[in-house]
Amino acid sequence: MSSPGQKVVLITGCSSGIGLRMAVMLAKDEKQRYHVIATMRDLKRKDKLVEAAGDAYGKTLSLAVLDVCTDESVKQCINGIKDRHVDVLINNAGIGLVGPVESISIAEMKSVFETNFFGVIRMIKEVMPDMKKRRGGHIIVVSSVMGLQGVVFNDVYAASKFAMEGFCECLAVQLLKFNVTMSMIEPGPVHTEFESKMIQDVRQKEFPGADADTVNYFKNVYLPSSVDIFETLGQTPDDIARCTKKVIEQGSSARFRNLTNPLYTPIVALKYADETGGLSVHAFYHMLFNLGPLMHVSMKAMQYLTCGCLRSRTISPN
């Protein structure tokens, strides 16, 4: 139970990675400003979180079962909170999907949208009415830079994040009238067990339905380049947690969009520099297919592009 003056923060997807680090960082806040309700589908996976939380567990951090893919689970979780009072909702739960689109079933695509899009909407619909009545609250959605700029072979994942960005952009306008803040957290690559396992799995996977050339481009061009990007631009879950904590601290003055990695600013800027879309499409094409062997060098060059004025214009929170 939260103490007087503490903000109640509910976080989805806390068994590992970004969600776990967010929960621990907020629960261990030196000023004890937050009571964190860390949720996951299966409490059998709580051990890593409990160990990382240490003394905060049972004091400023509590656990709850939550599956964002079912209406009943979402309602039951929120009803279990005193007065259904949630000051800050952090929608972190998400799943990835990568590979040639010809080999991905519609069922797999629907599964991604069920978690990444409809799961977030379920959570928002459940807490938003109470926030509106109180004329206060903060809804945070962990999106992705792929919700702003599509990346080859991430078609379905990017589509789910684009959908989320559009939904939240519309809703943010209405929520301002009720003094409820909407914020998007937009990481690029993040070093997590989830990401590492996914890359290992797809290397060994067969892709029925996709032609040999496409499979070759995916496995022998995209995947090596993807690893280079992760090594050069990748952040840690703690980086994302720190950014999110700053957004919470900013309250009603928090920005709507928050890129966590300034190294991605030039990539996103390509899209907005040319309304026809040609610049970004062709830039990504050349980066992947013409600069494959030089990807590591090009990634290092990306770091230099973000110094000076570009770095000062990053949209991540200061």
Side-chain angles (χ1 to χ4, degrees), residues 19 23 145 218 242 247 250 281 300:
V145 71
F218 175 67
R242 277 190 289 270
V247 168
Q250 290 165 355
V281 169
K300 286 296 182 183

Side-chain angles (χ1 to χ4, degrees), residues 9 40 83 114 140 145 151 174 177 181 236 238 259 287:
V9 182
M40 59 190 74
D83 299 326
E114 192 61 56
I140 297 174
V145 71
V151 175
Q174 178 203 148
K177 192 66 177 174
T181 304
T236 68
D238 274 345
L259 278 177
M287 191 182 296

Side-chain angles (χ1 to χ4, degrees), residues 245-300:
K245 187 179 181 185
K246 288 179 182 177
V247 168
I248 293 172
E249 290 169 347
Q250 290 165 355
S252 60
S253 64
R255 298 168 178 174
F256 173 64
R257 287 199 168 93
N258 300 272
L259 278 177
T260 66
N261 193 336
L263 295 175
Y264 259 84
T265 304
I267 295 174
V268 175
L270 285 175
K271 184 169 186 174
Y272 295 102
D274 173 22
E275 73 278 6
T276 71
L279 181 60
S280 60
V281 169
H282 287 94
F284 272 86
Y285 173 84
H286 289 299
M287 191 182 296
L288 182 64
F289 292 109
N290 294 340
L291 297 177
L294 301 174
M295 179 59 76
H296 186 66
V297 175
S298 65
M299 287 298 101
K300 286 296 182 183

Side-chain angles (χ1 to χ4, degrees), residues 58-230:
K59 297 176 181 176
T60 55
L61 185 143
S62 59
L63 303 180
V65 175
L66 173 62
D67 181 355
V68 300
C69 293
T70 75
D71 295 348
E72 182 181 352
S73 178
V74 169
K75 187 172 290 292
Q76 188 174 357
C77 178
I78 301 303
N79 285 343
I81 299 170
K82 187 177 185 299
D83 299 326
R84 293 174 50 93
H85 187 110
V86 176
D87 294 293
V88 182
L89 168 65
I90 303 179
N91 295 284
N92 169 71
I95 59 175
L97 185 63
V98 63
V101 71
E102 302 97 315
S103 66
I104 301 172
S105 68
I106 295 297
E108 288 177 289
M109 297 182 190
K110 286 183 176 179
S111 177
V112 171
F113 270 79
E114 192 61 56
T115 298
N116 294 2
F117 183 64
F118 293 110
V120 174
I121 292 176
R122 281 190 185 92
M123 294 304 301
I124 291 175
K125 282 177 59 110
E126 197 63 34
V127 305
M128 183 174 65
D130 295 305
M131 288 183 172
K132 281 178 157 184
K133 287 178 184 176
R134 295 196 308 268
R135 293 297 196 272
H138 199 161
I139 296 172
I140 297 174
V141 177
V142 179
S143 179
S144 168
V145 71
M146 287 195 218
L148 302 173
Q149 171 62 61
V151 175
V152 63
F153 291 120
N154 287 268
D155 319 75
V156 178
Y157 176 77
S160 72
K161 294 299 185 178
F162 264 81
M164 196 70 262
E165 290 275 344
F167 175 87
C168 292
E169 190 172 285
C170 295
L171 191 59
V173 177
Q174 178 203 148
L175 290 179
L176 279 177
K177 192 66 177 174
F178 294 89
N179 198 36
V180 176
T181 304
M182 173 78 79
S183 296
M184 312 299 288
I185 307 295
E186 293 146 336
V190 181
H191 297 294
T192 65
E193 293 177 16
F194 165 78
E195 298 289 356
S196 300
K197 185 177 184 303
M198 186 170 68
I199 290 175
Q200 290 174 0
D201 289 347
V202 296
R203 278 177 170 159
Q204 302 166 6
K205 187 177 177 181
E206 298 295 326
F207 295 95
D211 61 89
D213 283 344
T214 299
V215 174
N216 174 57
Y217 293 142
F218 175 67
K219 287 191 171 183
N220 299 319
V221 180
Y222 167 78
L223 282 182
S225 298
S226 179
V227 170
D228 273 336
I229 290 171
F230 264 83

Side-chain angles (χ1 to χ4, degrees), residues 38-69:
T39 72
M40 59 190 74
R41 286 182 297 178
D42 185 358
L43 287 184
K44 292 177 183 177
R45 300 182 62 195
K46 70 181 180 181
D47 292 350
K48 286 183 180 179
L49 174 59
V50 171
E51 181 182 355
D55 293 341
Y57 177 58
K59 297 176 181 176
T60 55
L61 185 143
S62 59
L63 303 180
V65 175
L66 173 62
D67 181 355
V68 300
C69 293

